[in-house]
Amino acid sequence: MITRKIEQGLKGFIVLSALLVAVLDVSAQIRGNNIVVTVEPDHKDWNYKVGQTAQFTVEVRRSGTLVDNVSVNYEAGPEMYPDVKRENVVLKDGTMKWKGSMKKPGFYRLKVTATVDGRKYDGLCTAAFSPEQLQPTTENPQDFDAFWSKAIEEARWTSLEPTKTLLPERSTKDVNVYEVSFQNVRWGSRTYGILCVPVKEGKYPALLRVPGAGVRPYQGDVWTAAQGAITLEIGIHGVSVTQPQSFYDNLQSGALNCYWEFGMDDRDKSYYKRVVLGCIRAIDFIEQFTPWDGKNLGVTGSSQGGFLSLATAGLDKRVSCYGAVHSALCDHTASLKKVACGWPHYFYGKDANQLKKAAAHIETSRYYDGVNFARRITCPGWFSFGYNDDVVPPTTAYATYNIVTAPKVLSPYQQTGHYWYQEQWDEWTAWLMKQLGIKN
């Protein structure tokens, strides 16, 4: 009797487990939405000349077919500053046409939100008008070079005093993986990262990976190291990068909440001073404590990491190439002229009284503007961004690209927002590998 009950219980457990596995398997396959809002321009490259008219076609589809009598809201105009807004417009056949134009270089955005069965679905398209003529607004401080030269010199008064801990669970037969740290701007102020070094003895090119905004752990770039490069992926917050996720979540919502605004009323107290200097000290670490070949060194990142790539390449001539993808923190002051500004949009939406109080903040921002670092770059760079990015406006990304006088490659992926496609990632990686002389 007891044996039978045990058998029945076991069968029930097996059935329940199978059901759970099935549910988990189904949830793992969720992909996209059945309702899709598309906004398509009439130029395949999304590019127009100033004075031309862009014609947009909007379609709302369910299961690939048009939705009748669908209600939409839409806004149109220069990105971040739409001059047309409409609500509760009914599209009888699920489609609409729109025309837009610009009298000066910039990006024109049409954003459409459809409501279907009580849920909202967005679609947008951002057309470029003579973007090659865009120029940034930020001023270039006369003492910019002196400020950063002194800051780097003072940081180097503190020895690196590195630590290095092997992570055997992440290492492979071809790559040793370590958590490392080194001192940054003063005694006890440390930068942490994941170092990956090929096992085979020799001298190697190096790649510094700099992070996007946020607080998180890091895994390190084992794949690139396996191709024959030293890789160092750093964090910027002065804490270990191998802790549980909850550790970083607590910092993100607590002590480091909105860290990008810390100290922005004083160029010497800005949070980003330590961050930028940490990138330079990371190269010091690579030079002094890894088998770097002394010649080929790249830096790359996206968003905040794109900014840090520009800053590092602009300040350190040891950098031989860089990849900057949808770079944040560029052209902060554009919004003072009612032009789209870079994340974190410091001055966007502020009234005259607020801007008056922010005078010191405005001045400080010029020392931490990706544009002013980009002006100083002399090595080759690869740029990529999406026209539909609503975090890092393409206006700022393109203007920053335009200000660079060194050799450069631009590869926009127009439809992307603040993310990238697989093809974009592959192209980015291939370009860096070629520049670093790595064959794979």
Side-chain angles (χ1 to χ4, degrees):
M1 187 69 175
I2 294 175
T3 302
R4 185 177 299 172
K5 287 184 177 180
I6 292 174
E7 290 175 349
Q8 290 174 344
L10 183 58
K11 289 180 179 178
F13 175 77
I14 292 172
V15 171
L16 178 60
S17 297
L19 287 172
L20 287 172
V21 168
V23 169
L24 289 173
D25 186 61
V26 170
S27 66
Q29 299 303 314
I30 293 174
R31 183 181 300 175
N33 291 305
N34 191 37
I35 309 296
V36 177
V37 181
T38 61
V39 186
E40 182 179 334
D42 62 332
H43 284 193
K44 291 184 177 181
D45 62 1
W46 298 35
N47 292 329
Y48 300 80
K49 297 295 184 183
V50 166
Q52 288 184 322
T53 298
Q55 300 189 52
F56 302 92
T57 300
V58 177
E59 296 183 340
V60 183
R61 293 178 176 269
R62 186 206 310 261
S63 299
T65 60
L66 295 169
V67 179
D68 294 334
N69 299 312
V70 61
S71 177
V72 302
N73 299 340
Y74 61 88
E75 59 182 38
E79 60 168 342
M80 296 181 72
Y81 294 94
D83 48 25
V84 175
K85 293 186 179 182
R86 300 285 187 271
E87 294 185 351
N88 302 318
V89 177
V90 176
L91 309 184
K92 291 184 178 180
D93 61 354
T95 68
M96 66 173 276
K97 300 287 187 179
W98 186 261
K99 294 181 180 181
S101 186
M102 297 187 75
K103 296 180 179 179
K104 59 182 180 180
F107 283 80
Y108 184 99
R109 176 167 292 168
L110 172 61
K111 180 177 181 180
V112 180
T113 301
T115 301
V116 180
D117 298 331
R119 293 185 59 183
K120 296 184 182 299
Y121 301 86
D122 292 330
L124 61 87
C125 180
T126 312
F129 285 83
S130 302
E132 70 283 353
Q133 297 178 22
L134 283 168
Q135 290 295 304
T137 67
T138 189
E139 295 180 13
N140 181 27
Q142 291 185 353
D143 64 346
F144 186 93
D145 295 310
F147 170 76
W148 282 108
S149 293
K150 181 181 179 182
I152 294 170
E153 178 185 1
E154 290 178 347
R156 286 176 174 158
W157 292 347
T158 301
S159 60
L160 289 171
E161 298 291 333
T163 66
K164 184 178 178 182
T165 303
L166 180 68
L167 303 175
E169 70 280 6
R170 301 191 190 183
S171 299
T172 70
K173 66 180 180 63
D174 298 314
V175 178
N176 286 326
V177 181
Y178 308 87
E179 181 175 26
V180 299
S181 76
F182 43 88
Q183 296 195 120
N184 188 338
V185 295
R186 62 182 180 279
W187 187 267
S189 172
R190 304 188 75 83
T191 294
Y192 290 78
I194 302 296
L195 174 70
C196 301
V197 181
V199 169
K200 185 178 179 181
E201 290 190 11
K203 296 292 186 179
Y204 294 95
L207 179 64
L208 174 63
R209 289 196 174 275
V210 286
V215 189
R216 65 182 72 84
Y218 294 97
Q219 296 300 311
D221 184 359
V222 179
W223 184 85
T224 301
Q227 311 310 306
I230 298 158
T231 64
L232 176 58
E233 183 177 32
I234 61 170
I236 63 170
H237 301 300
V239 297
S240 167
V241 294
T242 57
Q243 299 303 306
Q245 183 62 48
S246 60
F247 173 82
Y248 306 99
D249 292 341
N250 289 336
L251 285 173
Q252 177 82 55
S253 59
L256 293 178
N257 186 38
C258 295
Y259 66 84
W260 46 83
E261 295 181 353
F262 294 177
M264 281 301 287
D265 58 350
D266 186 326
R267 67 182 187 178
D268 284 308
K269 295 180 181 179
S270 168
Y271 193 85
Y272 279 112
K273 182 177 182 182
R274 179 188 174 282
V275 173
V276 171
L277 292 173
C279 297
I280 305 302
R281 303 300 328 256
I283 297 179
D284 291 347
F285 172 85
I286 290 171
E287 181 178 45
Q288 297 175 36
F289 296 101
T290 75
W292 175 45
D293 65 13
K295 179 182 178 182
N296 300 294
L297 194 152
V299 58
T300 194
S302 65
S303 195
Q304 176 187 262
F307 157 72
L308 293 175
S309 299
L310 298 173
T312 307
L315 292 176
D316 199 319
K317 299 308 178 187
R318 291 173 295 184
V319 175
S320 61
C321 66
Y322 65 98
V325 176
H326 47 242
S327 301
L329 291 114
C330 290
D331 212 12
H332 298 302
T333 56
S335 59
L336 302 181
K337 297 185 177 182
K338 302 298 182 184
V339 175
C341 61
W343 181 92
H345 317 301
Y346 285 130
F347 315 116
Y348 179 64
K350 292 200 167 44
D351 60 31
N353 188 49
Q354 290 173 315
L355 291 175
K356 185 176 180 180
K357 293 179 180 179
H361 194 158
I362 292 171
E363 179 61 25
T364 296
S365 75
R366 297 181 175 116
Y367 294 87
Y368 298 94
D369 195 310
V371 167
N372 287 331
F373 293 104
R375 297 179 195 274
R376 292 161 167 81
I377 294 175
T378 58
C379 62
W382 187 83
F383 289 77
S384 191
F385 48 83
Y387 285 12
N388 281 344
D389 196 330
D390 58 1
V391 177
V392 170
T395 298
T396 67
Y398 221 121
T400 303
Y401 168 81
N402 287 343
I403 206 70
V404 175
T405 58
K408 57 189 177 180
V409 174
L410 175 61
S411 184
Y413 281 69
Q414 289 86 342
Q415 188 168 287
T416 58
H418 204 60
Y419 56 87
W420 54 77
Y421 289 139
Q422 182 64 53
E423 296 89 341
Q424 192 173 6
W425 172 267
D426 292 343
E427 184 183 348
W428 179 6
T429 299
W431 187 89
L432 287 169
M433 300 280 279
K434 183 178 180 180
Q435 292 296 313
L436 293 174
I438 301 171
K439 296 180 180 180
N440 65 323

